[in-house]
Amino acid sequence: MKKLILLSALLSACQVSETKKENNSPHQKLFEEVMAIHDEVMPSHHIIAKYRDTLTMELQELEKQKDTAKIGKFKQIHQELDYAYKAMDLWMREFDENWDKKSPDEQKAYLEKEKEKISKVSEKMKKSLEMAKSRK
């Protein structure tokens, strides 16, 4: 049931990349750049969730073994994964699908800001995945 809820949330949340792919905005190219960054890392979103779940189970085992060195490291990685996962969720929820209804100057400013935000999310996701992969 938990996996079904997660899958439906991912599918509905990811509609951001389907938003207004073609319009008459003078900033359509900038919009496509923003979406390209999103689309590149979005497939990692579910991988991050799997790593978080795996780490949760590994942490429980490490706590039983009282392996304090690994516990601290794994908690930090889990926190990074959680932050990256939630950052993508937040970015998708807050993205204004009506960006093209703004004035051309507002569109440009908005999309530049969103490009910066999604770039940071992308970096965070990639970094947290790298940390999770090299945790052993």
Side-chain angles (χ1 to χ4, degrees):
M1 181 65 170
K2 186 177 179 182
K3 289 183 180 182
L4 182 61
I5 292 169
L6 176 62
L7 181 59
S8 72
L10 284 173
L11 291 174
S12 64
C14 201
Q15 292 175 355
V16 114
S17 63
E18 298 302 319
T19 306
K20 303 207 176 27
K21 283 281 188 189
E22 295 184 22
N23 61 42
N24 296 325
S25 168
H27 302 292
Q28 178 65 24
K29 186 175 188 286
L30 183 55
F31 168 76
E32 290 170 3
E33 291 172 13
V34 171
M35 288 300 107
I37 296 166
H38 164 272
D39 294 348
E40 175 195 357
V41 293
M42 187 59 209
S44 300
H45 198 244
H46 77 279
I47 297 168
I48 287 173
K50 285 182 181 182
Y51 272 120
R52 270 190 334 182
D53 293 345
T54 300
L55 273 171
T56 298
M57 291 185 292
E58 290 176 5
L59 275 165
Q60 291 171 353
E61 188 59 35
L62 290 171
E63 287 172 355
K64 288 178 189 175
Q65 298 171 5
K66 300 189 185 322
D67 188 340
T68 55
K70 277 190 176 179
I71 290 171
K73 179 181 178 182
F74 280 30
K75 281 185 177 182
Q76 179 185 3
I77 295 169
H78 188 277
Q79 184 178 3
E80 293 291 328
L81 289 165
D82 194 52
Y83 178 80
Y85 185 89
K86 289 176 180 176
M88 176 58 92
D89 282 349
L90 180 64
W91 183 85
M92 289 187 298
R93 274 194 313 273
E94 290 182 347
F95 187 82
D96 184 0
E97 64 185 52
N98 294 313
W99 64 271
D100 59 335
K101 305 286 190 254
K102 302 175 187 297
S103 73
D105 287 343
E106 290 172 323
Q107 287 178 20
K108 183 178 181 188
Y110 177 75
L111 291 171
E112 286 174 343
K113 182 179 175 185
E114 291 306 302
K115 185 176 180 180
E116 181 179 328
K117 285 166 58 175
I118 193 61
S119 293
K120 288 179 182 177
V121 169
S122 172
E123 290 171 23
K124 191 68 165 165
M125 289 177 74
K126 290 174 182 177
K127 178 184 173 199
S128 69
L129 279 171
E130 190 58 40
M131 289 174 74
K133 289 176 185 176
S134 65
R135 74 185 176 279
K136 300 291 176 183

